[in-house]
C-alpha cells in the first residue's frame, strides 16, 4: 500500500478560483479523475485533512468537505484509526508514476480507439479566416433581418401561459399554426394549392434534401442534375447511393431534350432542379421547359426534387411559378426555406409534398430530429400572419436590387477586360466568367492576403470553365467597392 506522501497532489489538483464551481468540488472532481485514470489506485491512502489542506493551500474544512463527498459517492472508504483510502471497488487501473501530472490528467484522446467508416465524399474544403470582407455564394445580409420584431414576438410567446404546449413534444411535421400560415403564404406567393398537411418543417434546405434522398433513393438509382450543379446536393445524393448523371444547362435552364433521351434508354429515379435561379449559373428555367419536364416526369415516372432556395428574390418581373404549382400527378417534391429570406441562422426550411409522402417522411424525420423548434416556428407563423416577413422582403428586395446593379457596374468598370456576365434576374449572386488564362485559386489567395475572403467553393475552373459565383447580398455598396478593388488588385497580380 502506497504512502500518502508519495502522491504529488499539488501537480494533480489545479484550483481555479475564478470558476463558479466551488473549490471543494473542483478538488473532488480532480481526485475522482485521478482514480478513474489509475493514478490513485484502489487501497492507496490519502493524506490527512490537515496535510492535504496545507499542500493545496486551502482551509482544512474544505478538505473535510472533499473527503465527505468522496466517501458519499463511494470513491473512498474510511478505516477507523487509520485514515481515508481509495475504495477497493474503484477501477483497478495502474498508470506510470511519471505521468502524475496535469497534462496526463486533463488530456482527451486525440483519436478514437475503434475503427469507423471515414467519408471522403463529404469532405468540404474550408478556410478559417478573420477577413472582414467576404464574397459568399448568395447569402443575405443579416443586418437587414427584422430581429427587433422577431425578438419581441418570441419574447411575448415565452410569457404566454398558453405557450407551455410548445415546450413539450408536438407534431413531428412541425408547429401546426406555422404550417397553416406557411401554407397560406405559399399558396398566395407561389400559386400552390396546399394545406398544412402537405408541409413538413425542416432545419433548412440541406435537411430537406437529406430527408427526401434517404427516403426516395436506393443504392444505384440514377439522379439527373445540372452541369454544373449544387455541390452539397450532389454529395447527399451520392451518400444515399445514387449515381449522378449531369445534363447540360443553357440560358433557358436544363436541357429537356437530353433528359428525354436519357429516359428513353435508362430508368431515371429523380431529377434535381433549382429552376428559379439555377445553382450556380443563376439562369431561370423557362416556362415552356417546366411544362415539358412535368410531362416527362408523369410519362417516365421520375421524381422532380424542386429546390426553390431563393424564390423570394426576383427583380425584373414577377417570378415564374414553381413546377409544383402545376403538378397534377404528385411527381414534384418542393423544398424551400427562410434561411435566405431572413438569415441563415434561423434554419427554417420546409418540404411540400402529397400527404402520404409527408406522413412517411415524418416517420423518418422523427429519428433524425424529433421535431422542429416549436417556439421559433410559432414566432415565424405570427410574423407571417402579421405580414412582417412580407414587408421585410419587399424592403430588402429594393436594397438587394441596388446591390446587384452596383456590383454589375463595378465589375464592368473595374474588371471589364477580364470578366463577362449577365445581370441575373433575381437571387443574391452573379455568375461571372473569367479569362481562361487566369488562375482562380491564386486570385483567391491574393484576395485573402488583402483581407477579402473568396472561398474555394465559389471557384469553378476546368478545361472548359473558368468562372466564379459572386454573392452580393451580404455587402453594402461601400463594402462592395472595397471588395472589388481588392479583387482587381488580386487579378492584376495574377
Amino acid at each position: 500500500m502506497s504512502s500518502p506522501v508519495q502522491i504529488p497532489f499539488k501537480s494533480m489538483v489545479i484550483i481555479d478560483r475564478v470558476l463558479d464551481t466551488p473549490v471543494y468540488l473542483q478538488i473532488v472532481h480532480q481526485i475522482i479523475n485521478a482514480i478513474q485514470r489509475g493514478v490513485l489506485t484502489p487501497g492507496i491512502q490519502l493524506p490527512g485533512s490537515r496535510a492535504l489542506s496545507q499542500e493545496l493551500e486551502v482551509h482544512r474544512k474544505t478538505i473535510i468537505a472533499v473527503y465527505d463527498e468522496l466517501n458519499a459517492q463511494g470513491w473512498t472508504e474510511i478505516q477507523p484509526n487509520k485514515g481515508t483510502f481509495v475504495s477497493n471497488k474503484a477501477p483497478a487501473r495502474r498508470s506510470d508514476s511519471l505521468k502524475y501530472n496535469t497534462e496526463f490528467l486533463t488530456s482527451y484522446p486525440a483519436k478514437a480507439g475503434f475503427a469507423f467508416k471515414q467519408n471522403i465524399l463529404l469532405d468540404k474544403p474550408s478556410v478559417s479566416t478573420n477577413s472582414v470582407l467576404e464574397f459568399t455564394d448568395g447569402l443575405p445580409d443579416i443586418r437587414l433581418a427584422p430581429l427587433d420584431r422577431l425578438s419581441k414576438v418570441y419574447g411575448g410567446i415565452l410569457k404566454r401561459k398558453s405557450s407551455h404546449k410548445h415546450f413539450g413534444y408536438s407534431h413531428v411535421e412541425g408547429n401546426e399554426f406555422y404550417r397553416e400560415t406557411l401554407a397560406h403564404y405559399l399558396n398566395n406567393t407561389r400559386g400552390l394549392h396546399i394545406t398544412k398537411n402537405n408541409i413538413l418543417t425542416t432545419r433548412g434546405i440541406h435537411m430537406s434534401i437529406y430527408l427526401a434522398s434517404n427516403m426516395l433513393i436506393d443504392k444505384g438509382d440514377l439522379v439527373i442534375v445540372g452541369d454544373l450543379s449544387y455541390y452539397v446536393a450532389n454529395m447527399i445524393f451520392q451518400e444515399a447511393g445514387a449515381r449522378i448523371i449531369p445534363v447540360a444547362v443553357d440560358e433557358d435552364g436544363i436541357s429537356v431534350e437530353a433528359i428525354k433521351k436519357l429516359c428513353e434508354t435508362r430508368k431515371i429515379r429523380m431529377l434535381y432542379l433549382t429552376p428559379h435561379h439555377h445553382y450556380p449559373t443563376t439562369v431561370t428555367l423557362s416556362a415552356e421547359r417546366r411544362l415539358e419536364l412535368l410531362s416527362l416526369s408523369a410519362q417516365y415516372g421520375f421524381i422532380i426534387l424542386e429546390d426553390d432556395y431563393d424564390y423570394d428574390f426576383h427583380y425584373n418581373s414577377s417570378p415564374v411559378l414553381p413546377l409544383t404549382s402545376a403538378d397534377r400527378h404528385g411527381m414534384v417534391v418542393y423544398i424551400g426555406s427562410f434561411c435566405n429570406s431572413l438569415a441563415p441562422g434561423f434554419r427554417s426550411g420546409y418540404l411540400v409534398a402529397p400527404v402520404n409522402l409527408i406522413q412517411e417522411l415524418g416517420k423518418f424525420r422523427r429519428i433524425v430530429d424529433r421535431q422542429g423548434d416549436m417556439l421559433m416556428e410559432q414566432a415565424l407563423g405570427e410574423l407571417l400572419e402579421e405580414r412582417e416577413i412580407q414587408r421585410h422582403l419587399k424592403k430588402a428586395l429594393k436594397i438587394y436590387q441596388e446591390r446587384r446593379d452596383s456590383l454589375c457596374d463595378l465589375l464592368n468598370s473595374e474588371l471589364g477586360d477580364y470578366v463577362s456576365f449577365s445581370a441575373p434576374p433575381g437571387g443574391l449572386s452573379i455568375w461571372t466568367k473569367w479569362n481562361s488564362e487566369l488562375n482562380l485559386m491564386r486570385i483567391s489567395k491574393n484576395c485573402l492576403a488583402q483581407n477579402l475572403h473568396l472561398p474555394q467553393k465559389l471557384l469553378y475552373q476546368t478545361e472548359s470553365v473558368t468562372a466564379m459565383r459572386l454573392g452580393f447580398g451580404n455587402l453594402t455598396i461601400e463594402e462592395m467597392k472595397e471588395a472589388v478593388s481588392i479583387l482587381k488588385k488580386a487579378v492584376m497580380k495574377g
Side-chain angles (χ1 to χ4, degrees):
M1 186 177 296
S2 300
S3 169
V5 296
Q6 295 177 329
I7 306 300
F9 282 88
K10 189 71 174 178
S11 64
M12 283 173 31
V13 177
I14 305 299
I15 298 171
D16 187 346
R17 299 186 185 276
V18 178
L19 294 179
D20 293 334
T21 306
V23 170
Y24 89 95
L25 274 182
Q26 292 185 43
I27 299 172
V28 167
H29 293 163
Q30 292 178 75
I31 290 178
I32 292 174
N33 182 41
I35 294 172
Q36 292 175 322
R37 293 183 182 236
V39 174
L40 296 177
T41 54
I44 199 169
Q45 184 178 2
L46 300 181
S49 58
R50 182 175 286 103
L52 187 55
S53 67
Q54 291 175 351
E55 184 175 358
L56 298 182
E57 299 177 358
V58 298
H59 199 281
R60 184 186 177 195
K61 289 183 179 180
T62 300
I63 301 303
I64 292 174
V66 168
Y67 283 176
D68 286 345
E69 183 66 25
L70 290 170
N71 188 58
Q73 292 190 31
W75 292 104
T76 61
E77 54 189 30
I78 299 174
Q79 297 183 15
N81 302 319
K82 291 185 178 181
T84 300
F85 298 82
V86 174
S87 173
N88 285 317
K89 297 179 182 179
R93 300 177 57 188
R94 292 186 178 276
S95 294
D96 188 341
S97 61
L98 295 178
K99 294 183 179 179
Y100 291 1
N101 55 59
T102 305
E103 182 179 352
F104 173 73
L105 290 169
T106 59
S107 63
Y108 188 80
K111 295 183 178 180
F114 47 84
F116 60 94
K117 182 173 66 174
Q118 294 180 282
N119 197 321
I120 300 176
L121 173 66
L122 299 181
D123 284 350
K124 178 182 176 182
S126 60
V127 177
S128 179
T129 174
N130 294 320
S131 299
V132 176
L133 294 174
E134 178 180 16
F135 279 116
T136 69
D137 66 346
L139 295 180
D141 191 340
I142 60 175
R143 294 168 292 189
L144 301 179
L147 299 180
D148 288 343
R149 184 60 191 148
L150 176 64
S151 64
K152 289 179 181 178
V153 171
Y154 194 90
I157 294 170
L158 286 173
K159 295 175 183 177
R160 295 179 208 152
K161 290 184 179 179
S162 61
S163 295
H164 291 170
K165 60 184 178 181
H166 300 312
F167 290 94
Y169 288 132
S170 187
H171 301 280
V172 70
E173 295 84 6
N175 181 291
E176 187 173 16
F177 172 72
Y178 174 53
R179 287 186 289 123
E180 287 176 351
T181 56
L182 180 57
H184 182 71
Y185 173 75
L186 295 176
N187 290 340
N188 285 339
T189 60
R190 289 153 170 79
L192 306 191
H193 308 280
I194 61 172
T195 71
K196 65 181 181 182
N197 297 323
N198 296 112
I199 296 176
L200 176 77
T201 67
T202 66
R203 305 281 185 173
I205 293 289
H206 294 173
M207 181 176 177
S208 296
I209 297 174
Y210 176 79
L211 291 175
S213 298
N214 278 269
M215 179 63 63
L216 301 174
I217 294 175
D218 290 326
K219 188 174 181 180
D221 281 346
L222 303 182
V223 174
I224 294 176
V225 300
D227 185 15
L228 304 160
S229 184
Y230 185 35
Y231 64 97
V232 174
N234 291 350
M235 290 193 297
I236 294 173
F237 299 143
Q238 289 177 294
E239 178 63 17
R243 293 169 56 196
I244 291 178
I245 304 177
V247 168
V249 175
D250 60 26
E251 63 274 8
D252 290 319
I254 198 164
S255 172
V256 175
E257 188 62 31
I259 293 173
K260 183 178 180 180
K261 289 181 178 179
L262 284 169
C263 290
E264 289 172 349
T265 59
R266 310 175 77 172
K267 178 63 176 176
I268 304 300
R269 176 57 173 169
M270 180 182 288
L271 165 64
Y272 171 70
L273 290 174
T274 49
H276 192 56
H277 303 119
H278 176 72
Y279 189 102
T281 65
T282 74
V283 298
T284 299
L285 183 65
S286 68
E288 179 183 3
R289 290 191 182 183
R290 290 168 188 249
L291 293 178
E292 290 175 345
L293 285 174
L294 285 172
S295 177
L296 284 177
S297 174
Q299 179 181 353
Y300 291 102
F302 62 80
I303 303 160
I304 297 177
L305 184 59
E306 183 176 14
D307 179 351
D308 221 0
Y309 66 97
D310 68 351
Y311 181 88
D312 292 310
F313 302 113
H314 205 85
Y315 309 120
N316 300 344
S317 61
S318 298
V320 182
L321 292 178
L323 280 78
T324 192
S325 67
D327 178 24
R328 295 183 295 107
H329 301 284
M331 302 305 295
V332 180
V333 176
Y334 180 80
I335 57 179
S337 82
F338 285 110
C339 300
N340 268 14
S341 304
L342 298 174
F346 282 124
R347 308 316 307 153
S348 52
Y350 49 86
L351 188 152
V352 176
V355 173
N356 64 335
L357 178 57
I358 291 294
Q359 291 173 342
E360 200 63 28
L361 283 166
K363 297 177 186 177
F364 182 60
R365 186 256 176 86
R366 186 187 299 271
I367 64 173
V368 176
D369 181 25
R370 173 57 180 80
Q371 63 190 42
D373 184 338
M374 292 292 148
L375 288 170
M376 180 58 72
E377 289 180 4
Q378 180 69 24
L380 289 173
E382 294 185 17
L383 289 178
L384 283 172
E385 187 177 54
E386 296 173 3
R387 297 190 60 79
E388 181 67 37
I389 290 178
Q390 292 87 324
R391 285 191 293 271
H392 161 71
L393 289 173
K394 186 176 181 180
K395 177 181 177 182
L397 196 63
K398 294 180 180 179
I399 295 173
Y400 289 135
Q401 184 171 0
E402 291 176 355
R403 294 181 180 183
R404 179 204 65 173
D405 294 343
S406 293
L407 182 55
C408 289
D409 291 342
L410 286 166
L411 290 174
N412 277 324
S413 62
E414 300 298 321
L415 289 159
D417 293 336
Y418 300 92
V419 64
S420 63
F421 61 91
S422 296
L428 299 177
S429 60
I430 299 176
W431 179 248
T432 59
K433 298 179 180 179
W434 296 76
N435 294 352
S436 58
E437 65 270 15
L438 293 174
N439 185 315
L440 299 189
M441 280 300 296
R442 187 179 299 128
I443 290 173
S444 174
K445 291 178 181 178
N446 292 343
C447 286
L448 192 60
Q450 299 180 69
N451 208 32
L452 170 64
H453 189 207
L454 184 61
Q456 183 179 342
K457 66 181 181 180
L458 308 187
L459 311 180
Y460 297 79
Q461 188 152 30
T462 64
E463 291 183 1
S464 59
V465 176
T466 301
M468 299 185 202
R469 179 179 165 93
L470 298 178
F472 55 81
N474 63 305
L475 298 171
T476 66
I477 292 176
E478 290 303 313
E479 290 169 340
M480 206 176 298
K481 289 179 180 178
E482 185 179 354
V484 172
S485 175
I486 294 173
L487 179 57
K488 180 179 180 179
K489 294 176 183 176
V491 170
M492 299 286 287
K493 190 175 179 181

